[in-house]
Amino acid sequence: KQWYQRRYGVSEGSPKYQIKSCFVENHSTPLRVPVPKKKRKRVIEDRPKQHVFFDSEESEGEEGSVIETEQGPVSQEKEKEEEGDVVVVSAGEEDRPNKDVIVVGKKGKNGTVPTCESPVKNPIGPGYNKYWSQRYRLFSLFDEGIKLDQESWHSVTPERIAEHISYRLGCDVAVDGFCGAGGNAIQLAMTCHRVIAVDIDPVKIELARNNATVYGVEDRIEFIVGDFLKIAPSLRADVVFLSPPWGGPEYLREDVYSLSNLTPDCDKMMAAARQISENIALFLPRNVSVDEVIELVEPGKKVEVEQNFLNRRVKTVTVYFGELISE
């Protein structure tokens, strides 16, 4: 109450306030905003009863999509919109990372909805608003001390997808050939007895080590600074997970992503992984060329291509080889 008084110079119960919901530190908090005098008649006093729980995953909602409220899913089809509906008017798009303003709220009699912009400032830099708003989707324990460099913000696997993959890869020893900031290695450590995390960048290894400590699994991960292609022959494991660099967020601008954009060369990478195990999981962009993926299969072998969904949208693709293929 004192915070509202200091900020707006009026009491919390003043009729000048209009109640809205806003994403604040991974949970929704009623935000009271002064309403101009000419609009006071349109104020709805009990809006918090159906405010949207706005976590990082909803930040990519689309106009006309379905979002979660306290009462459950609400359809956002334009032709069915009625007064009081919770409507997503605009949201950050993956190919427009600078767009971080989300318009969300109840549709009023005049057909308008309130605007809501995250009050938590982006500390990373210009063009990273989208990734900052999704930080809890990358690491649910982000506030406990997670560290990322700029490249890691757009290369870390969302935690929910990494968790799903780790259950499919559960084994004794697993290798993460391109561990980066450790998103996949951390989840693998929760389903495998031991994880060997490799990355050519020593900075990424230190970030991964720190993040693994946050999740309490650092004692189950062996971190190695080195080139995966060179050290692969010396490694022994049951499963190999590969999430090579995709070339930055520019991959979203292509209709079809070619495996030739991967670093290192995909054929050499797969050959190195097969020296460790035939059980391989390859993590790729959602728009990857399926024809090129099929070409990776050895004669007489099979492959499984899995689409990973978040909020009813395809986010990534995971390709499974060997005994990892579901029956």
Side-chain angles (χ1 to χ4, degrees):
K1 180 176 181 179
Q2 293 176 352
W3 181 85
Y4 290 123
Q5 291 174 338
R6 289 197 302 270
R7 182 167 181 177
Y8 299 118
V10 290
S11 63
E12 183 181 4
S14 170
K16 290 177 62 178
Y17 286 108
Q18 181 176 7
I19 297 180
K20 305 175 183 179
S21 294
C22 188
F23 173 70
V24 182
E25 293 296 333
N26 202 31
H27 63 273
S28 185
T29 302
L31 180 64
R32 297 177 179 267
V33 182
V35 179
K37 293 182 179 179
K38 62 180 181 180
K39 294 185 179 180
R40 288 183 185 177
K41 294 181 180 180
R42 298 171 184 168
V43 173
I44 300 176
E45 294 297 330
D46 53 3
R47 280 186 174 176
K49 293 181 180 179
Q50 292 186 347
H51 67 266
V52 176
F53 284 93
F54 219 75
D55 63 24
S56 55
E57 294 171 9
E58 274 81 332
S59 65
E60 285 191 8
E62 295 179 329
E63 182 177 357
S65 63
V66 175
I67 55 180
E68 295 289 333
T69 69
E70 289 182 331
Q71 284 70 34
V74 178
S75 176
Q76 305 304 317
E77 297 180 8
K78 280 188 172 182
E79 60 271 20
K80 295 183 180 179
E81 288 178 0
E82 297 178 356
E83 179 184 352
D85 283 349
V86 182
V87 181
V88 174
V89 177
S90 64
E93 301 173 3
E94 294 195 356
D95 57 346
R96 298 180 62 190
N98 289 320
K99 188 175 181 183
D100 193 35
V101 178
I102 301 169
V103 184
V104 60
K106 288 188 176 181
K107 187 174 182 180
K109 294 180 179 179
N110 61 347
T112 62
V113 291
T115 59
C116 173
E117 183 173 2
S118 172
V120 184
K121 299 300 181 181
N122 163 23
I124 315 167
Y128 284 81
N129 289 338
K130 167 199 163 182
Y131 303 103
W132 173 249
S133 67
Q134 297 174 5
R135 58 195 181 279
Y136 299 105
R137 188 178 73 175
L138 302 179
F139 292 96
S140 59
L141 300 183
F142 184 87
D143 290 338
E144 303 301 318
I146 293 296
K147 295 181 180 180
L148 300 171
D149 59 5
Q150 284 199 341
E151 181 182 1
S152 298
W153 279 99
H154 55 73
S155 60
V156 172
T157 305
E159 185 172 284
R160 195 173 297 182
I161 294 178
E163 181 181 10
H164 164 74
I165 295 174
S166 69
Y167 278 108
R168 291 202 56 171
L169 271 58
C171 62
D172 187 17
V173 181
V175 171
D176 185 349
F178 306 88
C179 71
N184 289 102
I186 291 171
Q187 296 302 319
L188 286 171
M190 297 182 182
T191 60
C192 303
H193 292 290
R194 180 167 165 258
V195 177
I196 302 174
V198 181
D199 202 284
I200 197 170
D201 186 353
V203 175
K204 295 288 194 301
I205 290 294
E206 289 305 312
L207 293 174
R209 194 190 307 275
N210 171 83
N211 298 338
T213 302
V214 171
Y215 279 80
V217 294
E218 72 280 2
D219 58 331
R220 306 180 71 172
I221 305 177
E222 178 184 353
F223 296 97
I224 300 177
V225 178
D227 186 341
F228 173 74
L229 299 184
K230 295 180 179 179
I231 67 175
S234 63
L235 301 178
R236 296 292 179 270
D238 304 299
V239 169
V240 180
F241 175 77
L242 302 174
S243 179
W246 297 348
E250 289 77 15
Y251 75 90
L252 288 169
R253 300 173 183 172
E254 302 179 19
D255 293 332
V256 179
Y257 182 86
S258 174
L259 294 181
S260 61
N261 295 325
L262 293 178
T263 305
D265 179 78
C266 191
D267 291 331
K268 294 181 180 179
M269 177 177 59
M270 291 296 295
R274 289 188 174 108
Q275 296 182 58
I276 304 174
S277 173
E278 292 293 327
N279 305 321
I280 303 171
L282 180 59
F283 194 64
L284 298 169
R286 66 189 181 196
N287 56 341
V288 67
S289 171
V290 178
D291 292 335
E292 292 186 11
V293 169
I294 295 176
E295 293 177 1
L296 298 175
V297 185
E298 295 180 314
K301 299 293 183 66
K302 297 181 179 180
V303 65
E304 178 186 352
V305 180
E306 177 186 68
Q307 292 180 317
N308 307 123
F309 284 76
L310 278 181
N311 296 331
R312 301 175 179 85
R313 299 178 63 191
V314 180
K315 303 300 295 182
T316 57
V317 168
T318 309
V319 184
Y320 299 96
F321 301 85
E323 296 179 1
L324 296 178
I325 298 176
S326 301
E327 297 181 359

